[in-house]
Amino acid sequence: MYTYQRLFDFSKKIFLSIGCPEADAQTATETLLSADLRGVDSHGVARLIGYVRLWEAGRINATPNIKIIHETPSTATVDGDGGLGLVVAPKAMQIALEKARNVGSGWVSVKNSNHYGIAGYHAMKALEHDMIGMSMTNASPLVAPTFSLERLLGTNPIAVAIPAGEQPPFVSDLATTTAANGKLEMLQRKNLEAPQGWIQSSDGSASTNPHELKDGGALLPLGGDTGSHKGYALGAVVDIFSAVLSGANYGPWVPPFVSFLAPPADPVGEGIGHFFGAMRVDAFRPATDFKQHMDNWITRFRSSKAKEGKEVLIPGDPERLFTEQRLKDGIPLLPPVVKDLEGLGEKFGVEL
């Protein structure tokens, strides 16, 4: 178990060591560790070594010139200049919030970025402003569309954060696959099998081997055997909004997160793409009225009659409880993750 502050101080020093300016190192660390706090261990400090390896491979720019390259009063396209997605995404979301503050809504598509952590962190930035936030990103092609043997899409998450009044906010953060790739990585570290319906082998047959992707297998879209066309469609929407709209790479051309795999030799765009949205609640109705009714919505759903031994949760409930617990008791790390972090510490002279 490690305290949040201990992991924060360590991670920030690593980002500084690869050349990030102070403010960017702070932002990157806050973004990264939000995943560990919310119980999304696959996207938190366990990925720190992956960002460092991409920087070592020359695929991450530690000092990017992040800029708007096209805009209207309510929209913008942002060039991330190859920067850490952990830095590029928060800046792009801030642009969306500023546009929403001025004209009611803001929509920002991003190109030339990298992996941006958990989608929910960025969407939640809207909550403190009485806004609804949206966040999505495309990712390395590990997912086979319905009936396909080829990996053409990423796990392509969608997050939506909606403010409430007395109740905690509604925060939906989900991959458009049956499970995110990070879940497979965690199963690999624990030497466990994957549940049925998560992955297929290279010939399209079902598999429970969490290493299947290394042998040409693929993750499956959300929906399983009878409904994967729905997850496929949602993942495609994310890919188009994030990349076709911005000028980033899309589909099978999205560069891999792992440094030992080279990006495609025939890119159709620049880097990874993201998409962000922010909407002022009072652009539709008074925020106080809306939040009162959100409280009523949440209370009614939470109190619904449930199956024996179960309870009906509101999206965001498990992550909120994880955050409360981990700020109090610490963040658990698996031995392989600790080993990776200790290796980074030795390389840069930073104590874990």
Side-chain angles (χ1 to χ4, degrees):
M1 299 291 286
Y2 292 81
T3 66
Y4 173 79
Q5 192 59 51
R6 183 176 176 183
L7 291 178
F8 188 98
D9 292 343
F10 176 82
S11 300
K12 182 178 177 180
K13 288 176 182 176
I14 295 298
F15 284 125
L16 289 170
S17 295
I18 68 173
C20 292
E22 172 75 23
D24 285 359
Q26 179 83 12
T27 297
T29 304
E30 289 176 357
T31 308
L32 182 70
L33 290 185
S34 69
D36 293 292
L37 283 181
R38 294 179 66 76
V40 191
D41 297 332
S42 58
H43 284 55
V45 73
R47 290 206 175 228
L48 182 57
I49 192 170
Y51 292 109
V52 172
R53 286 172 175 167
L54 285 175
W55 170 76
E56 290 173 331
R59 288 170 51 191
I60 282 182
N61 178 7
T63 56
N65 177 24
I66 303 167
K67 60 183 182 293
I68 295 173
I69 57 174
H70 183 80
E71 69 177 323
T72 72
S74 63
T75 66
T77 303
V78 168
D79 185 333
D81 195 27
L84 280 163
L86 303 170
V87 173
V88 176
K91 292 187 178 181
M93 186 62 190
Q94 186 59 42
I95 293 169
L97 292 170
E98 290 171 359
K99 288 184 174 294
R101 190 176 297 114
N102 291 332
V103 297
S105 69
W107 307 94
V108 177
S109 197
V110 179
K111 71 172 183 175
N112 205 5
S113 185
N114 283 280
H115 191 281
Y116 78 172
I118 57 170
Y121 174 80
H122 309 294
M124 289 174 68
K125 286 296 182 182
L127 296 174
E128 59 197 83
H129 304 287
D130 279 350
M131 295 186 194
I132 295 170
M134 296 178 60
S135 166
M136 56 188 79
T137 182
N138 69 358
S140 310
L142 300 173
V143 182
T146 303
F147 303 133
S148 175
L149 296 180
E150 290 189 78
R151 304 193 305 205
L152 298 177
L153 288 171
T155 52
N156 295 8
I158 301 172
V160 179
I162 304 173
E166 298 298 322
Q167 291 291 329
F170 175 108
V171 182
S172 172
D173 183 359
L174 53 93
T176 53
T177 48
T178 305
N181 182 47
K183 297 288 179 65
L184 287 187
E185 294 171 352
M186 299 305 289
L187 291 175
Q188 292 166 15
R189 292 186 176 116
K190 295 178 181 178
N191 293 315
L192 298 175
E193 287 192 339
Q196 285 282 353
W198 281 24
I199 46 181
Q200 69 180 27
S201 64
S202 59
D203 64 2
S205 58
S207 173
T208 59
N209 178 8
H211 298 275
E212 195 69 66
L213 272 63
K214 300 174 184 176
D215 296 322
L219 288 167
L220 296 174
L222 185 66
D225 292 340
T226 59
S228 68
H229 59 288
K230 298 177 182 179
Y232 167 32
L234 288 171
V237 168
V238 173
D239 201 34
I240 294 166
F241 278 26
S242 299
V244 180
L245 196 58
S246 68
N249 288 293
Y250 47 82
W253 292 278
V254 177
F257 178 73
V258 291
S259 60
F260 59 83
L261 292 178
D266 57 343
V268 292
E270 295 180 83
I272 285 175
H274 318 309
F275 186 80
F276 304 97
M279 296 181 287
R280 264 176 34 203
V281 168
D282 66 3
F284 298 88
R285 69 184 299 187
T288 302
D289 291 349
F290 173 82
K291 291 193 291 184
Q292 179 183 344
H293 281 279
M294 275 303 300
D295 282 349
N296 190 47
W297 190 98
I298 290 169
T299 300
R300 179 63 186 89
F301 275 71
R302 200 189 298 283
S303 63
S304 65
K305 189 175 182 180
K307 296 180 180 179
E308 184 175 353
K310 300 291 184 180
E311 61 178 326
V312 177
L313 299 176
I314 304 302
D317 278 353
E319 295 86 353
R320 176 173 49 82
L321 295 175
F322 265 117
T323 299
E324 293 173 1
Q325 177 188 352
R326 292 186 170 189
L327 283 174
K328 177 184 176 184
D329 300 329
I331 295 169
L333 299 181
L334 293 172
V337 175
V338 175
K339 183 178 179 180
D340 284 345
L341 296 180
E342 289 175 341
L344 283 178
E346 291 176 8
K347 177 179 292 189
F348 293 106
V350 178
E351 184 177 353
L352 177 60

